[in-house]
Amino acid sequence: QVLLVESGGGLVQAGGSLRLSCAASGRTFSSYGAGWFRQAPGKEREFVAHINWSGGTTNYADSVKGRFTISRDNAKNTVYLQMNSLKPEDTAVYYCARKRLGGTLYEYDYWGQGTQVTVSS
């Protein structure tokens, strides 16, 4: 069983920054890719960013490219999402997830409970 716990969400003004963390249980987490997703009220969950097991490859949604940075510290079993230049449209619940081994960028098998990010205008 893998447990993912997000933290770092909150209320921030437009143009501000937040750093989300996702702490994972399990010794093998460092062998898996990880991703961040978000879901705004009334909308479907959408892909935000992905990082491979080593941190050497990252992928981003066009809407966050250049503003968000995904990273990981395998010694701490933690994945991060640095969010800069935040916009009101970034308001959502943010989820981290473990990528399914051998799966595509959009296939994940374990999910955290989510952390709320609210950006005021």
Side-chain angles (χ1 to χ4, degrees):
Q1 186 72 13
V2 176
L3 183 64
L4 303 175
V5 180
E6 301 98 333
S7 61
L11 174 63
V12 64
Q13 288 189 332
S17 298
L18 281 175
R19 187 196 197 199
L20 305 183
S21 299
C22 173
S25 65
R27 297 177 182 176
T28 63
F29 182 72
S30 60
S31 300
Y32 291 80
W36 286 94
F37 289 73
R38 66 186 181 186
Q39 187 167 19
K43 295 188 177 181
E44 292 188 355
R45 186 171 60 194
E46 64 174 356
F47 169 80
V48 174
H50 161 266
I51 188 166
N52 77 331
W53 68 274
S54 69
T57 299
T58 56
N59 308 88
Y60 297 93
D62 287 343
S63 58
V64 307
K65 207 170 289 185
R67 299 188 298 123
F68 291 11
T69 302
I70 189 171
S71 62
R72 67 189 301 161
D73 183 340
N74 284 339
K76 296 182 178 179
N77 261 9
T78 302
V79 176
Y80 304 98
L81 186 68
Q82 177 66 44
M83 306 186 295
N84 298 329
S85 303
L86 282 161
K87 305 174 182 180
E89 50 264 45
D90 294 318
T91 295
V93 177
Y94 283 71
Y95 300 90
C96 72
R98 190 186 79 169
K99 182 174 166 292
R100 191 181 303 277
L101 203 58
T104 70
L105 277 180
Y106 309 102
E107 295 178 289
Y108 295 78
D109 52 9
Y110 286 95
W111 295 82
Q113 83 290 347
T115 186
Q116 176 71 46
V117 171
T118 303
V119 184
S120 63
S121 57

